[in-house]
Each structure stands twice: as structure tokens, then as C-alpha cells.
Amino acid sequence: MDLRQADYKQNHSTVQEFILVGYQVYPALLFTVFLATYTAILLGNGLIMVVTTLDPALHSPMYFFLRSLSGLEMCYISVTLPKMMANQVSGDHSISLPACASQMFFLLFLGGAECFLLGAMAYDRYLAICRPLHYMTIMSHRTCVGMVAGSFAISLPMQLVQIGIVFSLPFCGSNEIDHFFCESPPLLSLACADIYSSEVTLYTDSTIFLIIPFILILASYVQIAKAILRMPSATGRQKTFSTCSSHLTVVILFYGSAMIVYMRPKNPESVKVDKLLSLLYTIIIPLCNPLIYTLRNREVKTAFRRLLGRKRPLEVGTGMMG
């Protein structure tokens, strides 16, 4: 019998709430930073949704996926940041067991959907560059809606299973989660029972939602790279690569940080690193997405100017960045 099981037998009162340790210093400063970040994320991603909806030139599959990603990011950030701000204002860092389970579910559900949505965006770029003559036929509006809906449909049952497994474990003894929000790895470390099967489930889930889409994205970009290298013009190669560079940047940041947190072996030294990396894929990337997708995207910048009445609308394009 391991020590956690022995502890549990000695202490039958299971934990009913957790303490999110996070950073409990400079609460006023942290609240200001969190509020400014949350506002910027909502405004930035909200503007992308408005512009890609209102401008006919951006009614193409690529911008449909970008609009879906922006909406997802707004929901994703709303799962964690409001609670983090409330903690700083009240000084009360507690969270009930049901609230913790709900927060973790929506975080995993939306994060899993984003993994597959980024894969769908890579497939869209593959078709646009490698099979341009069939692009609009294959990527019909119905197909795009189905791919976005499928991303959420795949994520839902898998995350329900993971939540059920994690929160069926008994939690006793320490109730302090050394994190900003409820997430699987730090929660499992508090369970006073054998967590081997739960860890296997976590790694299986991570493999499905991180490794499989990432392999599909890599395969798409290998074909894209081959197509670009075959182009005779350096200008053409540069322009074509710019159509997917923003997406590639987001993929590297999102998958890189999430893989380190969920798939590397755990040890006491990894806790602080994981806590910082989790801020990257839950807060920093949603904050940077509007900048990444607009600063390198001539069509979106032009659409912003048209929205402000500085330019007359252009004809509907193919959704290529330039």
C-alpha cells in the first residue's frame, strides 16, 4: 500500500475545496495585468470576428477557420482569467470541487477542440497551395462547418471521460494546487490513491489531442514545403509561404508548450516550469493570435481600413495572405 493510500485510511474526510496557489504577491498589480490582458484578448479576437464577418473579401474557408479560432480563444480565456482576477481582488484563492471540475472540463474541452481546429487550418492551407484547382470544390462551406463542429464533437466525450476519472479519485491531506487554475497534472499529484491508470489515461488523451493532429499538421507542411520549393519564382515562394507562416507560428507555440506540460515525465522541479508554460498556451497565445494573424496579413489589414471607411471594398478573394 502506498503512502497516499495509508494517509487516506487515516483521514477519511476528503477535500471539498482546493486552494489555487498561483502567485500570491502584488495582488493589485496582478489584477491590473490580468484585466488588461483579458480586455485585449476579447477586443483583438472580437475585432477579427467582426472584420471577417462583415467584409465580403474575407468570406473564404481560411477566414472562416480564423473566425472560429478567434471565437474559441475568447471562450477559452474566459474559463481561467475571470477566476484569476477574482482571486486577486478578494484574496480568497479557494475553489470548490465542482467548480474545479467544471473549470478543468471546459479548459480541456476547448483546448482539445483547438488542437483539431489547428489541424483543419493546416489541411486548408495544404489544399489551397497543393491542390488550388480543387480547393473551392473540396472546401465548401458545408465542409468547413463540419470540420469545426467535428473538432468540438471529438473533444467532448474524451474530456468527459478524463474528468470522470480524475474526479473519481479521493483527495485528502493537502488541498493546495500549485497552479493558477485546475489542471490535470497538479490535481493528480494531490490524489491519495493509486494514480497509475489515471496517468495512462492522461497520456492517451494527450497523444490523441496533441500528437495525432501535430503529425497531420507536419505532413501537410511537408507537402506545402515541397510545392513551394518547386516554384520557379523567389517572389512566388515568399508570397505563398506567407499564406501559412502565421498559422505555423501559432502551431509551434501552442503545441510546443502543451506537449511539455502534458507529455514529459513529472518531477518536483517541473512544477514551476509547467505553471509558466501553461500561461503561454492559455493566455499568451490567445493574446498574440490577433497580432500574429493581422501584422503579417495584408488582406486583414486592408479589411480593417475598409471597415473604417478608408477604402472601397474589393472583390471577393481566395483568402490568401500576402
Side-chain angles (χ1 to χ4, degrees):
M1 179 185 299
D2 68 26
L3 293 176
R4 281 178 293 190
Q5 287 175 309
D7 264 350
Y8 179 57
K9 288 186 177 294
Q10 292 174 6
N11 181 7
H12 292 280
S13 60
T14 57
V15 170
Q16 297 301 312
E17 68 175 19
F18 296 103
I19 304 297
L20 296 169
V21 176
Y23 290 134
Q24 299 184 18
V25 294
Y26 308 115
L29 176 61
L30 285 178
F31 172 78
T32 303
V33 171
F34 291 155
L35 178 61
T37 302
Y38 188 49
T39 303
I41 290 171
L42 293 182
L43 286 176
N45 286 284
L47 278 173
I48 285 181
M49 293 186 70
V50 169
V51 170
T52 56
T53 300
L54 295 181
D55 197 304
L58 302 184
H59 289 180
S60 64
M62 188 180 82
Y63 293 109
F64 175 82
F65 289 123
L66 179 55
R67 183 163 58 251
S68 301
L69 179 64
S70 294
L72 188 152
E73 296 284 31
M74 293 170 69
C75 297
Y76 190 55
I77 198 65
S78 297
V79 175
T80 55
L81 261 181
K83 175 61 177 173
M84 291 163 65
M85 289 188 289
N87 290 347
Q88 300 305 321
V89 170
S90 66
D92 179 8
H93 291 253
S94 64
I95 183 170
S96 68
L97 194 68
C100 185
S102 298
Q103 186 184 64
M104 186 173 137
F105 165 72
F106 284 108
L107 191 70
L108 292 174
F109 169 56
L110 294 170
E114 182 165 352
C115 290
F116 281 96
L117 183 56
L118 289 172
M121 293 173 77
Y123 180 65
D124 171 73
R125 291 297 85 210
Y126 158 74
L127 289 176
I129 294 170
C130 300
R131 301 184 63 185
L133 297 179
H134 304 282
Y135 175 63
M136 294 308 297
T137 303
I138 297 174
M139 295 302 290
S140 65
H141 181 70
R142 183 176 180 178
T143 300
C144 293
V145 171
M147 292 175 78
V148 172
S151 299
F152 287 94
I154 293 171
S155 183
L156 179 61
M158 294 293 294
Q159 307 312 340
L160 284 173
V161 169
Q162 184 173 161
I163 292 296
I165 290 174
V166 171
F167 284 91
S168 66
L169 294 169
F171 295 97
C172 52
S174 174
N175 68 339
E176 292 189 348
I177 303 174
D178 190 10
H179 215 295
F180 296 97
F181 44 82
C182 292
E183 199 167 24
S184 301
L187 265 171
L188 287 177
S189 68
L190 299 181
C192 46
D194 183 10
I195 61 171
Y196 176 75
S197 60
S198 300
E199 289 181 320
V200 170
T201 302
L202 176 62
Y203 277 104
T204 303
D205 192 76
S206 300
T207 300
I208 293 172
F209 285 95
L210 291 173
I211 301 299
I212 294 177
F214 187 66
I215 290 174
L216 295 175
I217 291 170
L218 281 180
S220 296
Y221 275 107
V222 166
Q223 296 303 315
I224 289 170
K226 289 180 179 178
I228 291 175
L229 291 174
R230 286 196 295 266
M231 293 179 180
S233 166
T235 303
R237 289 195 296 269
Q238 183 179 1
K239 185 176 180 180
T240 303
F241 177 74
S242 72
T243 69
C244 47
S245 59
S246 299
H247 175 260
L248 192 57
T249 302
V250 172
V251 165
I252 292 170
L253 291 174
F254 180 83
Y255 278 94
S257 56
M259 283 180 182
I260 293 173
V261 170
Y262 280 93
M263 304 207 69
R264 73 170 175 173
K266 300 302 172 187
N267 59 70
E269 290 74 24
S270 69
V271 173
K272 295 187 183 299
V273 176
D274 288 352
K275 185 161 65 170
L276 290 174
L277 285 174
S278 67
L279 291 181
L280 179 61
Y281 62 80
T282 58
I283 297 177
I284 304 302
I285 292 177
L287 176 64
C288 293
N289 268 356
L291 296 176
I292 292 172
Y293 279 104
T294 56
L295 291 179
R296 295 184 58 85
N297 190 320
R298 179 171 53 82
E299 287 190 347
V300 173
K301 288 188 288 186
T302 303
F304 273 117
R305 290 194 293 269
R306 289 201 292 267
L307 189 63
L308 295 173
R310 297 179 185 176
K311 252 188 169 181
R312 293 187 310 172
L314 301 176
E315 294 179 1
V316 177
T318 59
M320 301 288 283
M321 296 184 195

